[in-house]
Amino acid sequence: MPRDLPLNSLGIPKPPEETRVVVAMSGGVDSSVVAAELALEGYDVIGVTLQLYDHGAALAKKGACCAGRDIHDARRVAETMGFPHYVLDYENTFRESVIDEFADSYLGGATPVPCIRCNERVKFRDLLETAKDLDADCMATGHYIRREMGAKAELHRAADPIRDQSYFLFSTTQEQLDYLRFPLGHLPDKAATRALAAKHGLPVADKPDSQDICFVPNGNYAAVIEKLRPGAAEPGPIVDMEGRELGRHDGVIRYTIGQRRGLNIGGLAEPLYVVKLDPDRREVIVGPKSALATRLVPLREINWLGDAPLDSRAEWRVGTKVRSTKPPMEAILRPLGPDAAEVELLTPEEGVSPGQACVFYDLDGTRLFGGGWIWRGY
């Protein structure tokens, strides 16, 4: 291939018709638009949908990602646009890599984010390797995030801050990023995506967005965990920060850090919130709202996407998110090794919980520098 061949729209020095792209299709409008747009540009598109669990089982729910209806919808889009589509059975992989850890994390008093693990361990590891086995030049997804070229491929927040999914993609490695493409990241809003779907006559143009975690019916985490781990919901005491019993609960798995409702504690002078969970003692610890404020956050399993190694400095000034829905806030990142650190939040955050992610950004821009997992070190 001549070195001076111009790059195509995916940044690959080939004509589109000679560029094979595997598109990860969930059956929703986002990934469907990606596949349709690339097909119309002349790329050699292959659509792949993962069956992540038995859509006839009790864990599935109508409209969930990669359940039966979504597989059908992805196939219809492929037929409409005239490219091949395959369904791969990843049920065992998904259970072992995502669902089991989700259940065990809740049993350990953490608040897991399974969507991140799904991207990390299923879509961007196993499916990506499948794409390479199909001799694809790259893999494209419908995530709202931007891939830009600096000295190397970089991840940046999406143009639409409401749809930005960078928090859920912090664990994307540099090697994966070199192979991945995210064609929707530059769009101004979801309406623009739906307009493209309507323009192409896609059958999913008006399909509602999926809600909650795909394998959790109606957001009822406790019910799923009890099904996966029978006997997990053992009762125990609700205690204040001095250890005095204030009431009883029917399972630690039914509570999360920062929760106020559902404590069933009467006669209190001020509202109390869940400030800690102790699964070993089966205790739910409650306290005033002020006790939720966290300034120092210990992290491990850090994925770092900066230009220099994480531990090449004593500290970094970064923007951080400890939940997906809030804008980045200024913080100091102090490395404790190549994949561990402590973050000092300059503005304390409420409800920080083990099992969640802390994600790093360029303080003055949109670049994602990676992130790590909050653990029970404070």
Side-chain angles (χ1 to χ4, degrees):
M1 189 65 61
R3 288 180 177 274
D4 59 352
L5 190 69
L7 299 178
N8 59 35
S9 64
L10 294 176
I12 297 170
K14 287 184 178 182
E17 62 271 14
E18 296 179 15
T19 304
R20 176 168 290 179
V21 185
V22 164
V23 179
M25 299 183 68
S26 68
V29 64
D30 299 323
S31 56
S32 296
V33 166
V34 168
E37 285 280 295
L38 294 176
L40 283 175
E41 288 185 45
Y43 287 98
D44 177 12
V45 171
I46 299 175
V48 175
T49 301
L50 304 181
Q51 180 181 315
L52 297 181
Y53 46 84
D54 179 0
H55 55 265
L59 289 182
K61 67 175 185 176
K62 183 179 179 181
C65 169
C66 304
R69 180 68 194 180
D70 296 290
I71 292 172
H72 172 72
D73 287 343
R75 184 178 293 118
R76 290 172 65 207
V77 169
E79 291 172 351
T80 299
M81 300 305 301
F83 58 81
H85 173 258
Y86 301 98
V87 178
L88 304 181
D89 182 356
Y90 273 44
E91 184 176 343
N92 289 337
T93 297
F94 187 67
R95 174 177 284 274
E96 294 168 1
S97 300
V98 180
I99 296 180
D100 283 344
E101 183 185 90
F102 171 84
D104 292 339
S105 294
Y106 255 102
L107 290 177
T111 306
V113 190
C115 296
I116 297 176
R117 290 302 197 193
C118 182
N119 289 325
E120 172 190 329
R121 297 175 175 176
V122 180
K123 295 175 183 174
F124 291 175
R125 184 186 68 188
D126 297 338
L127 179 56
L128 190 146
E129 288 304 314
T130 297
K132 291 181 177 179
D133 290 341
L134 292 170
D135 294 324
D137 294 282
C138 63
M139 187 174 89
T141 79
H143 289 103
Y144 287 87
I145 192 170
R146 288 180 294 147
R147 179 186 184 275
E148 297 185 358
M149 289 303 299
K152 58 183 180 180
E154 301 173 353
L155 283 177
H156 288 254
R157 282 182 284 159
D160 180 4
I162 296 175
R163 291 287 169 180
D164 174 57
Q165 292 176 287
S166 58
Y167 178 88
F168 299 100
L169 298 174
F170 83 83
S171 60
T172 306
T173 67
Q174 189 65 50
E175 181 181 4
Q176 293 167 343
L177 180 54
D178 291 340
Y179 191 71
L180 290 164
R181 300 294 188 273
F182 307 102
L184 300 185
H186 69 287
L187 294 181
D189 51 35
K190 185 60 174 272
T193 305
R194 293 197 181 277
L196 286 171
K199 173 185 173 183
H200 301 321
L202 301 184
V204 295
D206 296 321
K207 184 175 181 177
D209 293 337
S210 58
Q211 302 292 327
D212 298 319
I213 297 169
C214 66
F215 59 90
V216 180
N218 305 316
N220 191 341
Y221 304 147
V224 171
I225 295 165
E226 286 186 279
K227 182 178 180 65
L228 293 168
R229 303 287 188 271
E234 297 180 352
I238 298 175
V239 301
D240 64 17
M241 298 180 69
E242 285 72 44
R244 294 185 291 263
E245 184 169 330
L246 303 177
R248 303 287 294 179
H249 66 78
D250 54 0
V252 171
I253 62 172
R254 303 183 189 280
Y255 298 85
T256 57
I257 303 298
Q259 179 175 334
R260 176 184 172 188
R261 297 189 178 189
L263 298 179
N264 297 319
I265 304 173
L268 300 174
E270 61 177 334
L272 294 180
Y273 299 78
V274 177
V275 299
K276 187 177 180 182
L277 299 171
D278 188 336
D280 294 332
R281 299 168 63 92
R282 301 201 297 276
E283 287 183 345
V284 173
I285 299 96
V286 297
K289 189 174 184 180
S290 59
L292 289 171
T294 299
R295 182 178 291 274
L296 296 178
V297 182
L299 304 177
R300 57 186 177 185
E301 294 184 58
I302 289 177
N303 179 57
W304 179 249
L305 295 171
D307 295 326
L310 172 65
D311 53 1
S312 63
R313 293 189 193 176
E315 63 181 42
W316 302 77
R317 305 280 291 197
V318 294
T320 61
K321 282 188 178 188
V322 293
R323 51 180 54 85
S324 64
T325 55
K326 298 188 69 173
M329 302 292 288
E330 185 174 358
I332 301 173
L333 171 63
R334 297 189 179 95
L336 301 174
D339 62 356
E342 180 181 74
V343 167
E344 180 181 352
L345 304 174
L346 299 191
T347 302
E349 289 269 5
E350 295 179 352
V352 176
S353 172
Q356 295 177 330
C358 179
V359 180
F360 321 134
Y361 298 88
D362 179 357
L363 191 58
D364 301 312
T366 59
R367 185 176 175 185
L368 173 68
F369 284 137
W373 293 98
I374 302 169
W375 66 290
R376 197 180 303 281
Y378 61 88

